[in-house]
Amino acid sequence: MPEISMFGGIRITMYYDDHNPPHFHADYAGNKALVDIQGGYVIGGALPSRQLKYVLAWAEMHQDELMQNWELACSAQPLKKIEPLM
């Protein structure tokens, strides 16, 4: 599972050939969440409140890049790193 960003101890990843809707995985201190890219909300799992706010703010800022990576992942192509929040 390629890491596309890391900030504040939060690891952001995407799986190749993952299921719809387009989403990414956020991991922090053993907590895991799946975040919908287009809607900007958690579709599975949970993160602590502060880290979730960071992840959602970051996702809103980088929505286009996340969707580009989703398309690359669906085509089994290398993913691009995305600037961290901090």
Side-chain angles (χ1 to χ4, degrees):
M1 173 169 47
E3 180 179 297
I4 57 174
S5 195
M6 175 85 157
F7 53 88
I10 304 163
R11 184 174 182 241
I12 307 294
T13 57
M14 272 188 193
Y15 285 108
Y16 288 104
D17 297 326
D18 210 348
H19 59 85
N20 279 313
H23 65 278
F24 62 89
H25 299 253
D27 300 325
Y28 174 79
N31 299 288
K32 299 177 184 228
L34 289 121
V35 179
D36 182 278
I37 295 171
Q38 295 170 321
Y41 56 87
V42 175
I43 56 177
L47 294 175
S49 179
R50 180 179 301 176
Q51 284 71 29
L52 179 59
K53 287 178 187 175
Y54 293 153
V55 167
L56 296 180
W58 174 85
E60 184 176 347
M61 291 170 39
H62 297 285
Q63 185 178 22
D64 290 341
E65 293 164 276
L66 286 163
M67 282 306 301
Q68 288 171 5
N69 268 344
W70 179 262
E71 295 299 324
L72 290 170
C74 289
S75 301
Q77 296 179 16
L79 305 184
K80 297 178 181 176
K81 295 284 187 180
I82 299 175
E83 288 279 325
L85 182 64
M86 305 172 222

